[in-house]
C-alpha cells in the first residue's frame, strides 16, 4: 500500500443499460441486448437510456448543449455526487480534469438543406456560404468543439483546477487515465476527474466509420460471434467519468475507495498481423506476479472489427482467463470505452464476483474475484491494458 | 545550470525548434519577418468568400497538399516543423525519436467537399440516410482514416518513430501550451529523457471561418488585411484566423548535456487554470488568468519580478486584451506597465491550436537573440490597457525569463515560463 496509489472513489456511468453502477451491475447479471435497429436502418446502435437531465444540468445549460455534451456533463456530475464532492468548491477548484473527446453533433437539417440545394445552385460556393451564415445557430459551434465538453463540466459543476482534453478515439480515454494515474504516482496532482462520452446515435459519425467498413449491419450478434461473419462494430452511446484520487487524499477526506488502478499501459502499432499482440504481451509481462490467476478475469474492450478482434481473441485464449466483452451489452463507445470498462471492472472487484458470460464462448467464473484486467484494442489503432484490484 | 530544479525535478530544456506561419517556413524566415514587423495576413484566396463578413486570414498557402482539409494541411505542416526541429536538435537516428509525441491538434471533422462527395440520393431531397448509404463505397475509404481524430498523431508517430501512444490534445487556443506542459511533466516524472511537442492548425475553411464569425470573434477590417490585427489598440475589433505549426524538442538537461546538444532555452515551468464562468468569456475578476500565471511562476520557482518579457495571448479582441491586462496587472502590480508585453498575433494572426507552441518558440528566440518582437498596428493606444506593447518596432533587450500566455474558449488557460539558456 502506498499513499500515491491511484484509487477510484466515484463513478458516473450511463449507457443503454441505464444509469449508475448498480443498474449496470444488475443488467450485466441478467443480460438482455438493448439495440435500436430502426433509427438508422442497417446501422444498429445501443441507444442511451432515458435520462432525467435536470438532476445534473440546469435547463438553461442543457439548451447550450447537444447530446454528446449532455451525456458527458451528466456522467461527470454523477461521478462527483458518488465521490461526495459535488458542490465542494474548495476541492473542485483544485481538482484536475482530463476528458477524452471527439466532437459534437451537427445541425442535420441545415446540412441536408445544403446537400440538397448546393448541386443545383448557380453559384455553389456562394450558396454554401450564404446557408452556413444564415442557418447555423451561432452557439452551435460551442456544442461541437472537442474541448467544450470539459468547458461545460467546468461551467456546470465547477471543476476548475485544470482542464485538458485528449482526442484520438479509444486511445484518448486510455491515455487520459494513464496520465492521471502517472501524475498521482509522481505527486503531480492528487485528485482527478477523468472520462468522456460518446453519442452513437449520429449519422455523421456513423458515416465516418462506414467509410472504413468497420460497422456491423445485421441484427444483433455478439462481439466474438460476429467474427465468423466478417466482424464489425455495433456502437453504443456512453458517458462515464471516474473520480481518481491518491490513496492519501481519499483517506484524508474519509472517502470510500471502490477499487485501485494498479497500472495502465498504452501503446500503438501499425497493426501488421501480430503487432498488437506483441504490445499486449509486453504490457502483460510487466504485470507478472502482481495477481493470483485463480481470482482474476478480463474485461475486453474488443470493438468487433474483424482484424483486431480476431487477434485479441487469440491472445485472450492463450491467457485462459474468464473474459467478458462488454461491447455485447453497452456497444462500442469509442473515446470513453476504456473508462467505461474500467468502471465496470471496478464494480466487479468491489463486488468480489464476475457477472455471467455475455456470449456462449465466454467461460463462467464462480470463484471470488480480486483483480481484473481491462483491454482496449482500438478499432483502428492503439493497444491498452489496465490492471484493477480491490483496495 | 543545475541538472535539477528548485523542487529536485529534472530541468527541461529545448534543443530543437521548427516553425511555419503565414510569414513563411522555417525559424530564420519567421524571425526575420517577425522582428521586421511584417504582417502575414491577407485576403483569402483558398475558397470563394462570397457573402462572408470576414474575408481575410493568415493562411499558409505555400505548402502543397493533395486534397486540402484541416487535418491534411495540419499534418503536412507538422511534418515539416518536426523535421526542422529534429535537424536542429540532432537527436536520435532518423525515424527513431527517443521519446513520446504530444500533439496539439484542432478538432477533426469531415469537411464540405468530402461531405458533398457522399451526398447523392434517388430523391429530390438529399438526407443523411443517403450519405450513410453512399459512405461504404470503395472510393470513400481513404477519407476514413483522414477524418479520425487519431490519424495525424499516428502518422507522425510512424514517420518520426516516437515512443508509446501519441497524445493529441485540444484546449482550444491554449492547446500548444497544454502539449508543452504534457511533455515537461513526462520528463519530470522520469518517464522519458526527451519529448516531441507539436502544435499545428490549418482550420481556415468556409465553415470554420463562419463559425467564428457567428460568434462575433473575428475582425472585419477586410480592406487593409495587414492592418487588421491590432492587439492592445483602442480600435481592435477581433482576431484573425490563421494557420501555422510549431515543434519543440524537449529534453532533460542531463540528457542534452550528455550528448553535447546545443541548448536553446529552458522551460522553467508551466501553469494552468480553468474558468467556469462562461463558454467564451473570461471571469470578469480575471481570477483564472491570474491563477494560471501565478501557478506557472510557482512551478518555475520564480517571483513576478524575475519576469522581463511577456509574450501575450493578445488576440486583438476587445475582451481578451482587456482581461489579459487585468490579469497581468494583478500578478505584476505596479511593474505591469513597465514590462514589455508584445503580441505576435499582430503579425501572424491567431494560429489557434498551434498558437501556444509557435509563440513559446518566438518567446525562446526573443531571449536567445536579445530582441523583443513588436506589436504592430499600434496606432491608437487604449487608455484602459496601458501596456508597453513594444509598439510597431522590435526592441533589443536582454531578458533572463519570460512568460507566454495562452487562453482558450471553454475556459482553458495555460502559461509557460521560458528561461534563457
Amino acid at each position: 500500500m502506498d499513499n500515491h496509489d491511484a484509487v477510484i472513489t466515484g463513478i458516473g456511468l450511463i449507457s443503454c443499460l441505464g444509469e449508475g453502477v448498480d443498474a449496470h451491475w444488475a443488467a450485466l447479471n441478467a443480460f438482455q441486448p438493448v439495440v435500436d435497429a430502426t433509427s438508422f436502418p442497417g446501422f444498429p446502435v445501443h441507444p442511451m437510456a432515458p435520462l432525467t437531465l435536470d438532476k445534473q444540468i440546469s435547463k438553461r445549460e442543457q439548451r447550450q448543449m447537444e447530446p454528446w455534451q449532455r451525456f458527458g456533463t451528466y456522467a461527470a456530475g454523477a461521478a462527483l455526487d458518488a465521490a461526495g464532492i459535488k458542490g465542494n468548491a474548495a476541492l473542485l477548484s483544485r481538482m484536475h480534469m482530463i476528458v477524452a473527446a471527439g466532437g459534437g453533433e451537427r445541425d442535420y437539417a441545415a446540412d441536408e438543406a445544403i446537400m440538397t440545394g448546393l448541386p443545383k445552385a448557380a453559384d455553389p460556393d456562394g450558396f454554401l456560404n450564404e446557408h452556413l451564415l444564415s442557418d447555423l445557430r451561432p452557439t452551435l459551434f460551442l456544442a461541437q468543439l472537442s474541448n467544450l465538453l470539459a468547458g461545460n463540466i467546468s461551467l456546470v459543476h465547477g471543476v476548475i483546477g485544470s482542464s485538458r482534453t485528449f482526442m484520438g478515439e479509444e486511445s484518448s480515454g486510455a491515455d487520459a487515465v494513464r496520465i492521471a494515474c502517472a501524475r498521482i504516482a509522481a505527486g503531480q496532482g492528487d485528485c482527478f476527474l477523468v472520462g468522456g462520452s460518446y453519442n452513437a446515435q449520429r449519422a455523421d459519425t456513423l458515416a465516418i466509420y462506414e467509410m472504413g467498413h468497420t460497422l456491423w449491419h445485421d441484427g444483433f450478434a455478439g462481439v466474438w460471434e460476429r467474427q465468423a461473419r466478417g466482424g464489425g462494430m455495433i456502437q453504443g452511446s456512453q458517458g462515464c467519468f471516474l473520480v481518481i484520487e491518491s490513496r492519501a487524499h481519499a483517506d484524508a477526506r474519509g472517502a470510500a475507495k471502490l477499487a485501485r488502478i494498479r497500472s495502465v499501459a498504452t501503446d500503438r502499432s501499425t497493426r501488421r498481423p501480430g503487432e498488437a499482440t506483441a504490445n499486449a504481451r509486453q504490457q502483460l509481462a510487466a504485470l507478472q506476479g502482481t495477481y493470483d490467476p485463480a481470482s482474476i478475469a478480463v474485461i475486453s474492450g474488443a470493438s468487433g472489427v474483424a482484424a483486431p478482434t480476431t487477434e485479441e481473441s487469440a491472445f485472450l485464449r492463450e491467457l485462459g482467463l474468464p473474459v467478458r466483452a462488454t461491447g455485447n451489452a453497452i456497444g462500442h463507445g469509442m473515446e470513453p470505452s476504456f473508462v467505461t470498462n474500467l468502471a465496470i471492472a471496478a464494480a466487479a472487484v468491489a463486488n468480489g464476483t464476475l457477472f455471467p458470460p455475455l456470449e456462449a464462448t465466454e467461460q463462467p467464473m464462480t470463484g471470488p474475484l480480486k483483480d481484473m484486467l481491462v483491454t482496449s484494442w482500438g478499432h483502428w489503432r492503439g493497444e491498452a491494458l489496465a490492471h484493477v484490484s480491490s483496495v | 545550470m543545475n541538472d535539477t530544479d528548485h523542487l529536485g525535478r529534472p530541468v527541461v530544456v529545448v534543443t530543437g525548434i521548427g516553425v511555419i506561419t503565414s510569414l513563411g517556413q522555417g525559424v530564420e524566415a519567421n524571425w526575420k519577418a517577425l522582428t521586421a514587423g511584417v504582417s502575414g495576413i491577407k485576403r483569402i484566396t483558398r475558397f470563394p468568400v462570397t457573402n462572408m463578413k470576414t474575408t481575410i486570414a493568415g493562411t499558409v498557402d505555400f505548402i502543397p497538399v493533395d486534397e486540402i482539409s484541416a487535418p491534411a494541411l495540419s499534418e503536412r505542416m507538422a511534418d515539416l516543423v518536426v523535421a526542422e526541429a529534429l535537424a536542429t536538435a540532432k537527436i536520435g537516428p532518423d525515424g527513431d525519436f527517443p521519446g513520446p509525441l504530444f500533439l496539439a491538434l484542432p478538432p477533426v471533422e469531415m469537411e464540405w467537399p468530402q461531405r458533398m462527395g457522399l451526398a447523392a440520393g434517388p430523391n429530390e431531397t438529399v438526407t443523411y440516410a443517403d450519405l450513410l448509404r453512399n459512405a461504404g463505397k470503395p472510393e470513400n475509404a481513404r477519407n476514413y482514416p483522414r477524418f479520425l481524430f487519431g490519424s495525424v498523431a499516428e502518422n507522425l508517430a510512424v514517420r518520426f518513430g516516437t515512443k508509446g501512444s501519441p497524445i493529441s490534445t485540444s484546449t482550444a487556443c491554449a492547446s500548444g501550451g497544454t502539449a508543452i506542459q504534457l511533455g515537461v511533466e513526462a520528463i519530470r516524472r522520469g518517464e522519458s529523457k526527451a519529448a516531441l511537442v507539436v502544435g499545428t492548425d490549418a482550420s481556415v475553411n468556409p465553415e470554420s471561418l463562419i463559425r467564428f464569425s457567428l460568434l462575433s470573434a473575428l475582425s472585419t477590417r477586410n480592406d487593409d488585411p495587414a492592418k487588421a490585427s491590432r492587439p492592445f489598440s483602442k480600435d481592435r475589433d477581433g482576431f484573425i484566423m490563421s494557420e501555422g505549426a510549431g515543434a519543440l524538442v524537449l529534453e532533460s538537461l542531463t540528457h542534452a548535456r550528455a550528448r553535447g546538444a546545443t541548448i536553446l532555452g529552458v522551460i522553467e515551468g508551466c501553469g494552468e487554470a480553468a474558468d467556469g464562468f462562461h463558454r467564451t468569456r473570461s471571469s470578469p475578476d480575471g481570477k483564472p488568468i491570474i491563477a494560471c500565471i501565478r501557478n506557472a511562476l510557482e512551478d518555475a520557482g520564480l517571483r513576478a519580478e524575475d519576469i522581463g518579457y511577456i509574450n501575450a495571448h493578445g488576440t486583438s479582441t476587445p475582451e481578451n486584451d482587456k482581461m489579459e491586462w487585468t490579469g497581468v496587472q494583478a500578478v505584476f502590480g505596479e511593474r505591469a506597465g513597465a514590462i514589455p508585453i508584445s503580441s505576435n498575433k499582430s503579425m501572424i494572426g491567431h494560429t489557434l491550436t498551434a498558437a501556444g507552441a509557435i509563440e513559446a518558440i518566438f518567446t525562446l528566440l526573443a531571449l536567445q537573440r536579445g530582441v523583443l518582437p513588436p506589436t504592430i498596428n499600434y496606432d491608437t493606444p487604449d487608455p484602459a490597457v496601458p501596456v508597453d506593447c513594444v509598439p510597431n518596432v522590435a526592441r533589443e533587450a536582454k531578458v533572463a525569463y519570460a512568460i507566454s500566455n495562452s487562453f482558450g474558449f471553454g475556459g482553458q488557460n495555460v502559461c509557460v515560463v521560458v528561461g534563457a539558456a
Side-chain angles (χ1 to χ4, degrees):
Chain A
M1 240 199 302
D2 186 310
N3 280 337
H4 286 106
D5 286 348
V7 297
I8 298 172
T9 56
I11 296 174
L13 175 59
I14 52 176
S15 77
C16 66
L17 299 184
E19 175 187 346
V21 174
D22 293 346
H24 280 77
W25 192 248
L28 288 167
N29 277 283
F31 171 56
Q32 286 293 326
V34 182
V35 177
D36 171 2
T38 55
S39 295
F40 308 95
F43 296 83
V45 292
H46 296 267
M48 182 58 75
L51 302 172
T52 311
L53 289 169
D54 296 6
K55 282 199 286 184
Q56 294 294 348
I57 315 171
S58 72
K59 281 255 178 343
R60 180 168 162 264
E61 294 301 340
Q62 285 174 40
R63 280 195 290 273
Q64 301 294 316
M65 307 180 196
E66 297 294 324
W68 161 65
Q69 289 183 350
R70 289 181 192 138
F71 296 167
T73 307
Y74 188 91
L80 296 173
D81 268 336
I85 55 181
K86 186 73 156 303
N88 180 342
L91 180 47
L92 296 173
S93 67
R94 57 179 185 78
M95 184 179 210
H96 300 291
M97 172 163 48
I98 309 180
V99 172
E105 290 83 355
R106 299 183 58 82
D107 183 331
Y108 301 103
D111 282 357
E112 288 178 342
I114 292 171
M115 291 190 288
T116 299
L118 192 142
K120 304 172 194 113
D123 170 13
D125 295 307
F127 178 91
L128 176 67
N129 295 352
E130 186 191 333
H131 278 265
L132 290 174
L133 270 165
S134 61
D135 299 353
L136 292 183
R137 264 188 299 123
T139 53
L140 180 68
F141 187 22
L142 301 172
Q144 296 176 311
L145 280 169
S146 300
N147 70 307
L148 258 291
L149 169 52
N152 277 299
I153 294 169
S154 292
L155 200 71
V156 172
H157 304 305
V159 180
I160 54 169
S162 72
S163 169
R164 300 178 189 175
T165 294
F166 290 177
M167 305 178 300
E169 286 75 37
E170 297 91 340
S171 297
S172 63
D175 280 319
V177 179
R178 175 176 65 88
I179 295 287
C181 292
R183 287 174 63 189
I184 286 172
Q188 292 173 338
D190 49 17
C191 186
F192 287 78
L193 179 66
V194 183
S197 55
Y198 187 72
N199 178 11
Q201 296 147 272
R202 279 174 64 175
D204 58 329
T205 41
L206 287 172
I208 299 284
Y209 295 110
E210 174 65 1
M211 291 193 298
H213 303 114
T214 61
L215 297 176
W216 181 253
H217 296 293
D218 212 344
F220 178 80
V223 169
W224 309 118
E225 183 195 345
R226 279 174 233 157
Q227 300 316 305
R229 291 193 276 149
M233 289 186 273
I234 301 178
Q235 299 197 341
S237 292
Q238 300 176 9
C240 185
F241 274 83
L242 305 175
V243 174
I244 306 176
E245 300 178 65
S246 71
R247 187 183 288 273
H249 191 271
D251 287 345
R253 67 178 193 90
K257 303 182 290 287
L258 300 169
R260 174 183 163 202
I261 305 173
R262 295 194 55 160
S263 75
V264 182
T266 66
D267 210 336
R268 56 156 293 281
S269 68
T270 48
R271 292 282 173 87
R272 281 184 295 253
E275 285 184 340
T277 303
N279 276 345
R281 284 205 180 115
Q282 201 169 11
Q283 290 164 347
L284 187 71
L287 306 182
Q288 198 84 51
T290 60
Y291 58 84
D292 176 357
S295 55
I296 190 166
V298 182
I299 299 283
S300 167
S303 64
V305 171
T309 302
T310 306
E311 197 172 312
E312 183 181 342
S313 165
F315 168 74
L316 293 174
R317 262 197 310 276
E318 265 174 42
L319 277 184
L321 300 173
V323 173
R324 301 291 180 266
T326 53
N328 282 308
I330 55 174
H332 189 63
M334 268 324 136
E335 287 85 6
S337 59
F338 175 82
V339 185
T340 303
N341 283 329
L342 209 58
I344 292 171
V349 296
N351 272 280
T353 58
L354 184 64
F355 47 89
L358 301 171
E359 269 194 78
T361 51
E362 294 180 344
Q363 54 169 292
M365 181 186 190
T366 47
L369 181 85
K370 291 186 186 139
D371 293 80
M372 292 236 55
L373 300 177
V374 179
T375 68
S376 174
W377 293 24
H379 77 284
W380 182 64
R381 290 291 185 268
E383 295 86 32
L385 181 69
H387 176 196
V388 177
S389 69
S390 50
V391 286
Chain B
M1 209 180 336
N2 290 329
D3 281 2
T4 52
D5 70 6
H6 65 115
L7 295 174
R9 305 170 300 190
V11 167
V12 179
V13 297
V14 181
T15 57
I17 50 175
V19 68
I20 291 172
T21 71
S22 53
L23 294 174
Q25 183 177 351
V27 167
E28 295 312 322
N30 270 280
W31 188 245
K32 195 175 164 215
L34 201 72
T35 49
V38 174
S39 170
I41 311 308
K42 49 196 173 296
R43 271 176 234 297
I44 294 168
T45 55
R46 183 177 294 163
F47 49 84
V49 290
T50 328
N51 299 323
M52 293 206 181
K53 282 184 227 153
T54 292
T55 58
I56 55 176
T59 49
V60 171
D61 295 318
F62 47 87
I63 308 280
V65 286
D66 298 334
E67 286 192 74
I68 192 165
S69 64
L73 182 54
S74 296
E75 182 178 318
R76 183 64 190 135
M77 289 195 297
D79 262 348
L80 294 166
V81 294
V82 170
E84 184 183 18
L86 294 178
T88 339
K90 301 183 187 69
I91 187 171
D94 273 358
D96 191 14
F97 183 84
L101 170 66
F102 298 101
L103 173 70
L105 183 77
V108 175
E109 192 176 20
M110 188 159 48
E111 294 169 18
W112 277 101
Q114 293 80 16
R115 189 173 296 113
M116 289 312 300
L118 302 181
N123 306 316
E124 176 66 10
T125 313
V126 180
T127 65
Y128 264 95
D130 298 311
L131 217 77
L132 279 175
R133 202 166 32 246
N134 295 331
K137 291 179 179 165
E139 64 267 29
N140 300 318
R142 70 185 189 290
N143 282 331
Y144 154 67
R146 179 70 294 159
F147 294 106
L148 291 177
F149 283 79
S151 65
V152 175
E154 164 70 14
N155 295 340
L156 293 171
V158 169
R159 218 159 285 144
F160 298 105
T162 55
K163 303 299 174 280
S165 179
I167 289 183
S168 304
T169 190
S170 172
T171 49
C173 312
S175 306
T178 301
I180 291 172
Q181 187 166 24
L182 284 162
V184 167
E185 286 174 354
I187 293 171
R188 284 176 176 173
R189 285 196 297 268
E191 277 174 21
S192 180
K193 304 290 184 203
L196 183 58
V197 172
V198 186
T200 185
D201 201 315
S203 296
V204 180
N205 57 50
E207 185 160 334
S208 295
L209 191 75
I210 286 169
R211 283 165 167 174
F212 279 118
S213 193
L214 288 171
L215 289 176
S216 307
L218 300 180
S219 170
T220 54
R221 290 173 169 266
N222 298 314
D223 296 341
D224 191 356
K227 296 270 182 201
S229 187
R230 313 170 73 76
F232 307 118
S233 277
K234 196 171 189 318
D235 52 1
R236 64 188 185 274
D237 74 330
F239 74 79
I240 309 291
M241 255 187 106
S242 288
E243 299 180 324
L248 301 94
V249 173
L250 304 184
E251 282 182 73
S252 72
L253 175 59
T254 315
H255 187 258
R257 269 186 181 142
R259 65 180 194 89
T262 304
I263 291 157
L264 307 176
V266 182
I267 305 295
E268 304 281 351
C270 307
E272 60 190 333
D275 193 332
F277 177 69
H278 187 267
R279 288 175 180 78
T280 59
R281 291 174 51 213
S282 302
S283 288
D285 58 8
K287 250 185 173 169
I289 291 177
I290 296 164
C292 101
I293 299 175
R294 284 196 174 136
N295 289 345
L297 293 175
E298 189 188 331
D299 189 52
L302 295 172
R303 297 161 306 166
E305 42 273 44
D306 296 324
I307 301 302
Y309 168 60
I310 298 173
N311 189 293
H313 188 51
T315 57
S316 186
T317 63
E319 162 103 359
N320 174 82
D321 299 1
K322 184 170 67 85
M323 287 315 304
E324 189 163 10
W325 168 246
T326 303
V328 164
Q329 213 178 5
V331 176
F332 295 94
E334 283 179 8
R335 251 186 89 232
I339 308 172
I341 307 176
S342 69
S343 170
N344 306 149
K345 292 185 180 78
S346 61
M347 293 170 277
I348 63 171
H350 192 349
T351 56
L352 303 167
T353 302
I358 290 172
E359 292 168 18
I361 290 169
F362 290 154
T363 306
L364 181 147
L365 289 169
L367 303 194
Q368 191 197 31
R369 302 185 179 190
V371 179
L372 308 181
T375 302
I376 67 165
N377 301 323
Y378 191 70
D379 305 325
T380 323
D382 180 351
V385 187
V387 288
D388 168 10
C389 70
V390 192
N392 303 317
V393 182
R395 184 189 301 169
E396 287 190 11
K398 197 167 163 42
V399 172
Y401 301 106
I403 62 172
S404 174
N405 289 337
S406 300
F407 312 135
F409 273 2
Q412 289 142 25
N413 305 300
V414 179
C415 175
V416 176
V417 186
V418 183

